[in-house]
Each structure stands twice: as structure tokens, then as C-alpha cells.
Amino acid sequence: MSSRPTLIKENGLRHDHRRPDELRPIKMEVGVLKNADGSALVEFGNTKVIAAVYGPREPPAKYMLSPEKAIVRCRYHMAPFSTIERKSPAPSRREIELSKVIREALESAIFTELFPRSAVDIFIEVLQADGGTRTAGLTAASLALADAGVPMRDLIAAVAVGKVDGVIVLDIDEVEDEYGEADMPVGMMPSLNQVVLLQLNGVMTREEFDAAMDLAMKGISEIYRLQKEALSKKYMLYTEE
Amino acid sequence: MANIYVANRQIVKPGDLLAEGDDVIAGSYTYKVGSKVYGTVIGLAEVKENAVSIIPLEGVVVPREGDLVIGVVVGVGVTNWFIDIRAPYKAVLNASEAVEQFNPLTDDIRKYFDVGDYILAKVLIFDRSRGPVLTTKAKGLGKIVEGVVIDVKPSRVPRIVGKRKTMLEVLTSLTNCSITAAVNGRIWIKCPNSLLEDIVVRAIRKIESEAHIPGLTDRIRKFIEDEKRRVGIQ
């Protein structure tokens, strides 16, 4: 792309014909990997993320252990084929940072004190990136944890909001992220109304921030509903037999 | 005032609001914030008057003292064995808890149990600061030398045993097999012949996948009877 695309068209719709407060089509599936204790596949439009959870289990090295709680290890990784230009498979600065913020968000939800001296391993692999991969990854990881039966306070639902051409929009994609003015991923435990992840890249006024937060909560409640539906679906299959 | 929002045996998920009220008792796999009780795992709700708890459908089981477990020997020390019991913690079995008068100078510990052996044991000591310590000093405990051991989801073991052992009763009485279900998700099956063994294994797999659907005991009874007829055993 050589020139800057029009992000908000004259009729008020976005470059992909969405309304400013509209999510991309979302798909979720639980229990997609047999070897993992829990797994989930989440798609937000063209963004496609798979998450696998192992544990609580004995970690490979004893020095990492905590005598009072389970340690949570998290790896967020983008597959080399997930972007248009090949991404080096080595963990980048950005991936290491995202692994940390996602881990901290999940740690606040998991009852780690129930499994002292053990480890919970979470792997998030981005299969296709089109903006909002960290929020899709967090959403998938919390589903995978629920699928693994790890006790937690609530599922975590996450979505990115942003400001493009002066308009606050929900669930921004790659193009909007690149050419927009601000990008704000938000992760929440909706039942408890607690925020577990909040980052802001760009500039927003106080009023815009409030509007963006409201919009994020609206998107999150929809994502949360889909998460619960995806978890039920795994057990519905057997019921229908 | 207790308000319970879930029905008995309804599927609940983490973060579901189960009940509200100051006198509601939050049972296993639930937690209370203020007066609200939330679920922490995916499972079946169990409501008893003003107490709510969850029977989990997934997850690891951390054994408790006195529990029967089936382990695999994964390591041998001078006077002890290291046992994998499918928990987040590796278990230890000391020679003194398996053999009378064991002397490491004159006796070879591998003579009793070696790497790869399946053993039926009881959890002797287990607290949060150290790993579980096992014992095989009781009737019926020790090395498993016949039959098959299958792995199931640990969360399904209560269903395989059933309320007041009803399910286990159906499995054993219809097939003449002896079945030992250990809490860590390993089932030891001893059968008169391989045809019956196959039926029992498939019945257990059926229980595993349909654990959350009511009327399971009757379906399993019918399944075993149909299968026996099909292979021509009476």
C-alpha cells in the first residue's frame, strides 16, 4: 500500500464496511488439540489464533517453583507465515513483552494458590495476523484454561478499540492499527467487572478514552457470550447423540 | 435470603453467577465475592439447600491422604522409588513402606519394583510443602501383575464409580471383571477373558465421554448387555 487508505468512508462506515461499533465475525472452538490438556481456536475476522494449555504439572526445572502458588508460564508467538512478509520465528522484543502482559492478565484470573510447586504452561500461536492478535490470544488462552479445568475467577474476554480518522471504533484490524491515531487493547473479567489488561498506543482525549472504554465493554460482553457458548458446545455434541 | 440461580446438574462455566445471598455456602470449585457465589471451572452444578458446589468435568486431581492411586515407577533410588501418579507432583515410595526389613546393603531394590512397573498404592502423607509419600503396606496393594490399566480423565473417576458405587456394581456384576478405580484417573481391570475386557474398556470410554448426561447407569447397563449378546457371551 503506497498511499494512506480512507479509513472512514463518507457514509460513516469503515474500510471493511463495518459500522464503528461493530465487531468482526468471530468464531471460537474449544478442545481442538488432543495432546494438550486444554485448547481453543479463536478467529476475529482474518486474525486466527490457537492456544494450548498444559498443567498444572511438574515444571522441568525446580528452581522456578514457588512454594505457595503455581507459576504461570506464557508464550505468545507469531508463526512465520502469519504475516504478509515472513516473520522471523525467533521471539522478538514485541512478542516477549506481549507474553508478559498476557501472562499477568491470566495470572490475575487463575487460582494459582491451589497448586503450590507446580506450573501452568500456556502457548499462544498466531496463525494469521490481522490486528488484535494479543486480544484474540488472551481470549483463546482463557478458553483453553477453562477447557483444561484450571480453576479461575472468570473467563477473560478481550478486544482492541481505537481511534481512526477521529472516530472511536471497535475491534480494529491491521490497516486501522497502522494508519489510525490510537490503538487500545482491553481485557476484562466481565462477571466481576474487572480490567486485567489495558494498553494504549497513540493519543486520545479524556472524553475519547471514556467513549473507547464504553465501546470496549460493549464488545467484551458480546465476546464473553460467545466464549460461554463455545464452552457449552463441546458438551452439547454428546447430548445430541 | 438465598437466591440460587442454577439447577442441579446444570452445566456451569468459570465466572457464572451461581447464587446470591449472605447465607449461601460456597462449596468446592466455587468462590464468594461479597454475597455472590461464582463458579471457577466447567462442570455440573450441585445444589443442596443453600449450598452450591461444582463437580468438575475437566482438570487434574490432586490426591489427598488415604486416597488409592495407581502409579508407574519412573525412577529408582537407593532406598526408594519415584512414582508418577498423574498429579502435578511426583510421589515417593520408600522401601520401608513396601518391603519388610529392607536392607540396601544386601538387597537389590529393583527386585521388588522396577522402572515401568504399575503399582497400586495408598497416599500415606501429603501436605502442601512436600510431595506425596505412598505406601503399599495393606491388603491388595503392590505391583499390578495381571489385567490391564487404562488412563481416563481423573475428573471422570467419580462417575465411573457412581453414587454409592452403583456404576461400578453394574460394570462388575454384568462382566465378572474386577475393577479398581484409582482417584488419579487410572483404572485397573481384571477380566476372565479378552472379549469381556474389551466390553468393559469401551463401557468406561462411554462413561468418560457422556459423564454429564443424566441416565448414564441405565445406558451403560444396556450397552454391556447388547455388546455381550453381539459377541455371543451369556
Side-chain angles (χ1 to χ4, degrees), chain A residues 152-179:
Chain A
M152 46 189 196
R153 288 173 179 85
D154 195 2
L155 295 172
I156 294 173
V159 75
V161 286
K163 185 167 90 168
V164 294
D165 288 357
V167 182
I168 303 295
V169 296
L170 181 62
D171 191 14
I172 60 169
D173 64 17
E174 184 81 51
V175 177
E176 290 171 327
D177 185 18
E178 194 171 334
Y179 297 100

Side-chain angles (χ1 to χ4, degrees), chain A:
Chain A
M1 256 172 268
S2 52
S3 65
R4 189 179 180 281
T6 315
L7 295 177
I8 302 289
K9 291 186 277 192
E10 279 161 17
N11 55 10
L13 294 181
R14 291 149 78 176
H15 77 100
D16 57 356
H17 314 295
R18 275 189 291 160
R19 291 186 311 275
D21 63 346
E22 196 176 336
L23 290 163
R24 287 176 280 181
I26 295 176
K27 263 197 251 171
M28 293 183 193
E29 202 183 337
V30 170
V32 290
L33 302 174
K34 192 189 134 285
N35 286 355
D37 294 325
S39 57
L41 180 69
V42 169
E43 289 177 40
F44 280 29
N46 288 330
T47 294
K48 194 168 187 173
V49 179
I50 199 163
V53 166
Y54 292 82
R57 64 179 179 183
E58 243 181 328
K62 290 270 188 214
Y63 70 89
M64 301 179 196
L65 291 181
S66 162
E68 65 245 19
K69 60 182 177 57
I71 54 162
V72 177
R73 301 190 296 172
C74 179
R75 183 180 105 133
Y76 162 96
H77 184 249
M78 289 174 90
F81 53 82
S82 64
T83 44
I84 293 164
E85 239 173 74
R86 179 181 183 273
K87 188 213 150 278
S88 160
S92 63
R93 197 216 97 255
R94 175 179 171 275
E95 286 168 298
I96 295 167
E97 180 195 317
L98 288 187
S99 300
K100 178 183 175 285
V101 294
I102 292 172
R103 190 195 75 224
E104 284 171 352
L106 292 166
E107 262 177 346
S108 61
I110 302 171
F111 284 94
T112 51
E113 61 273 22
L114 292 178
F115 302 97
R117 296 178 297 115
S118 67
V120 178
D121 291 332
I122 301 154
F123 300 91
I124 298 166
E125 192 72 23
V126 178
L127 301 179
Q128 188 163 265
D130 187 23
T133 56
R134 81 192 69 183
T135 50
L138 188 55
T139 305
S142 96
L143 271 180
L145 280 167
D147 183 37
V150 177
M152 46 189 196
R153 288 173 179 85
D154 195 2
L155 295 172
I156 294 173
V159 75
V161 286
K163 185 167 90 168
V164 294
D165 288 357
V167 182
I168 303 295
V169 296
L170 181 62
D171 191 14
I172 60 169
D173 64 17
E174 184 81 51
V175 177
E176 290 171 327
D177 185 18
E178 194 171 334
Y179 297 100
E181 292 107 76
D183 159 34
M184 183 170 88
V186 184
M188 287 182 75
M189 294 197 278
S191 286
L192 306 171
N193 210 21
Q194 286 178 1
V195 175
V196 292
L197 179 135
L198 179 62
Q199 294 178 300
L200 174 57
N201 200 345
V203 181
M204 275 190 195
T205 63
R206 182 67 195 263
E207 290 70 36
E208 283 169 340
F209 175 82
D210 289 341
M213 203 62 195
D214 284 346
L215 196 57
M217 283 188 195
K218 184 175 162 254
I220 281 171
S221 62
E222 173 64 11
I223 293 164
Y224 188 58
R225 191 183 62 76
L226 292 168
Q227 281 180 307
K228 294 263 167 111
E229 218 168 70
L231 278 175
S232 306
K233 215 151 109 198
K234 187 183 169 192
Y235 291 95
M236 292 300 272
L237 289 176
Y238 297 116
T239 321
E240 281 162 10
E241 274 173 11

